[in-house]
C-alpha cells in the first residue's frame, strides 16, 4: 500500500489521471522490458483486448475457438458479430486440439482464437502451420500466460495478436487491466487508434474505435505489482511443488505442460475421476471455509447463445476440473490441510 501511495502522490502532483499518461507509458515500457517483447498496449481489461484484436484483424464470419476457456473468449467473438465454431480440446494439455481445428474449417472461417489454458502454451507450431495453409489469422487468449515462454521466447509473441488480462485474480495485475501484443508495428498502430475512440489526431479519426484505454491509477497498481513479480512467480512454483507432494495418493489427473515451455504455475488444476467426486471434494472444502473454483465450467459449447456442437472432451473435463487455492500468502500447512480434506473426500 505504501508503494502504491507513492505513485498516487505523483498522480496528484501532475493532475494527469488518464489518457495515455506517464504511468501508463512507464508500465508499457517496463512490461516490454520484463517480458522481452517488441510491442504491447495496456488496455482497460482482457475482454476489450480480445475484441480489439478481432476488430484489428478484420475477422468476419466464423472463428474457430476452444470450448474450454473463460466465457470472455467466446462472448467476445459473438460481441464482434462473428460465429464461434468450437474445436474440441486435447485431454492432456487441455488446449485446443490442432487436429480438431482443421476439421472445422469452412469457406467462412477467417481466424482461430485459442486460449493458453492455465498458462500452458498451445501447440503453437501446429496452429501456425494450419493458419498458414488456410490463410487464417491467429489470436491467442493469453490471459493466464504472464511470463510464460515457449522455446525461450515470450508466449505473447506467438500468433498475429496475443491478448492478456491483468485482472486482480491474475498473477500479474493492475486491478482491472489487459493488453494486446503483436510483432507487427502496423497492427499495433491500428490497435492504438482503436483503443482511443479511433483518434489519430485531436480532431481526426482513423477508424471506428472504442474506449479501451486504462488509467494512471491502474498503471500505478501494475507498476507496484511488477516490482514483486519475481517473488510472486517463485512462490507459486514452490506452492505447486508442495501441492504435488501433499496430493500423493489422490487419484486426479494433472495437466500436461508443453515440453518447450517455461511455465508460471499460476493455477493448480486437478481433474477428478467423476463430477460426483469433484462435488464431494468441494463440499468437504467448503465445510472448512475453503472455496476453490470450478474453472472452467461449464464448457462454452453449452452456452445458450452459441450453436451447439459436439465437444465431448471439453464437456467431460469441465465437469471434473477444479482449480485448487493458489495465492501469494498461501501457507504450506494450508496446502497440507487442503490435501487431507481432498483425500478424506476421496476415501470416504
Ligand atoms: C480473465 C480472463 C479473461 C478476461 O479478462 P478480463 O481482464 O477479466 O476482462 C479472458 N480470458 C481468460 C482465459 C481469462 O482467464
Amino acid at each position: 500500500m505504501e508503494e502504491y501511495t507513492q505513485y498516487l502522490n505523483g498522480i496528484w502532483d501532475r493532475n494527469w489521471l488518464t489518457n495515455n499518461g506517464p504511468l501508463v507509458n512507464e508500465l508499457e515500457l517496463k512490461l516490454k522490458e520484463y517480458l522481452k517483447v517488441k510491442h504491447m498496449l495496456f488496455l482497460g481489461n482482457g475482454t476489450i483486448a480480445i475484441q480489439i484484436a478481432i476488430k484489428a484483424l478484420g475477422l468476419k464470419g466464423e472463428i474457430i475457438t476452444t470450448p474450454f476457456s473463460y466465457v470472455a473468449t467466446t462472448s467476445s467473438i459473438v460481441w464482434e458479430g462473428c460465429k464461434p465454431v468450437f474445436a474440441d480440446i486435447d485431454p492432456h494439455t487441455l488446449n485446443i486440439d490442432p487436429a480438431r481445428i482443421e476439421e472445422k474449417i469452412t469457406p467462412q472461417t477467417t481466424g482461430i482464437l485459442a486460449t493458453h489454458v492455465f498458462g500452458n502454451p498451445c501447440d503453437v507450431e501446429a496452429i501456425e502451420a494450419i493458419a498458414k495453409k488456410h490463410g487464417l489469422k491467429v489470436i491467442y487468449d493469453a490471459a493466464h500466460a504472464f511470463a510464460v515462454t515457449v522455446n525461450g521466447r515470450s508466449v505473447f509473441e506467438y500468433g498475429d495478436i496475443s491478448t492478456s488480462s491483468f485482472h486482480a485474480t491474475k498473477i500479474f495485475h493492475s486491478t482491472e487491466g489487459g493488453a494486446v501484443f503483436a510483432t507487427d508495428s502496423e497492427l499495433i498502430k491500428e490497435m492504438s487508434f482503436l483503443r482511443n475512440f479511433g483518434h489519430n489526431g485531436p480532431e481526426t479519426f482513423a477508424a471506428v474505435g472504442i474506449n479501451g484505454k486504462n488509467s494512471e491509477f491502474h498503471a500505478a497498481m501494475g507498476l507496484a505489482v511488477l516490482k514483486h513479480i519475481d517473488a510472486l512467480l517463485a512462490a507459486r512454483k514452490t506452492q505447486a511443488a508442495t501441492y504435488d507432494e501433499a496430493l500423493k495418493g489422490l487419484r486426479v489427473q494433472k495437466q500436461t505442460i508443453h515440453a518447450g515451455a517455461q511455465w508460471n504455475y499460476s493455477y493448480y488444476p486437478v481433474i477428478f475421476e467423476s463430477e460426483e467426486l469433484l462435488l464431494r471434494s468441494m463440499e468437504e472444502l467448503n465445510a472448512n471455509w475453503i472455496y476453490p473454483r470450478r474453472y472452467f465450467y461449464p464448457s462454452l459449447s453449452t452456452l445458450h447463445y452459441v450453436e451447439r456442437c459436439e465437444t465431448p472432451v471439453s464437456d467431460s473435463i469441465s465437469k471434473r476440473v477444479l482449480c485448487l487455492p493458489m495465492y501469494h500468502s498461501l501457507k504450506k500447512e494450508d496446502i497440507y490441510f487442503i490435501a487431507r480434506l481432498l483425500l478424506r473426500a476421496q476415501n470416504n
Side-chain angles (χ1 to χ4, degrees), residues 45-47 50 69-70 72-73 115 141 143-144 165 167 170 177 295:
N45 56 68
T47 306
I50 302 171
S69 184
Y70 184 58
T73 316
T115 300
D141 179 345
H144 298 167
S165 166
H167 182 257
K170 278 29 179 207
Y295 199 58

Side-chain angles (χ1 to χ4, degrees), residues 81-103:
C82 298
K83 180 180 164 189
V85 174
F86 296 99
D88 210 351
I89 58 169
D90 177 281
H92 308 288
T93 66
L94 311 184
N95 287 325
I96 198 166
D97 183 345
R100 301 278 88 80
I101 294 177
E102 265 196 304
E103 298 167 356

Side-chain angles (χ1 to χ4, degrees), residues 19-159:
N19 283 4
N20 205 24
L23 295 182
V24 165
N25 279 294
E26 187 182 336
L27 180 63
E28 287 180 345
L29 273 173
K30 290 205 164 137
L31 282 172
K32 282 188 272 191
E33 205 176 319
Y34 182 77
L35 298 165
K36 300 192 180 70
V37 296
K38 223 160 132 189
H39 305 293
M40 69 92 62
L41 297 171
F42 182 46
L43 302 176
N45 56 68
T47 306
I48 201 81
I50 302 171
Q51 290 166 212
I52 286 178
I54 293 171
K55 198 72 111 199
L57 293 170
L59 301 188
K60 298 271 180 295
E62 297 175 3
I63 298 177
I64 297 175
T65 190
T66 175
F68 191 67
S69 184
Y70 184 58
V71 69
T73 316
T74 295
S75 65
S76 298
I77 294 174
V78 177
W79 194 269
E80 289 304 315
C82 298
K83 180 180 164 189
V85 174
F86 296 99
D88 210 351
I89 58 169
D90 177 281
H92 308 288
T93 66
L94 311 184
N95 287 325
I96 198 166
D97 183 345
R100 301 278 88 80
I101 294 177
E102 265 196 304
E103 298 167 356
K104 301 283 179 169
I105 296 174
T106 75
Q108 281 71 51
T109 310
T110 57
I112 298 166
L113 171 51
T115 300
H116 301 304
V117 171
F118 306 131
N120 183 29
C122 289
D123 188 342
V124 287
E125 285 94 3
I127 292 173
E128 192 180 328
I130 294 166
K132 271 220 176 97
K133 185 169 154 200
H134 298 273
L136 306 176
K137 300 290 185 191
V138 178
I139 301 171
Y140 286 113
D141 179 345
H144 298 167
F146 192 85
V148 172
T149 63
V150 186
N151 306 324
R153 181 169 166 224
S154 170
V155 76
F156 292 148
E157 296 223 307
Y158 288 85

Side-chain angles (χ1 to χ4, degrees), residues 12 180 210 216 221 236 244 264 271:
W12 257 264
V180 283
I210 187 100
E216 291 291 278
M221 182 62 98
R236 284 291 210 284
D244 287 345
N264 64 14
I271 303 163

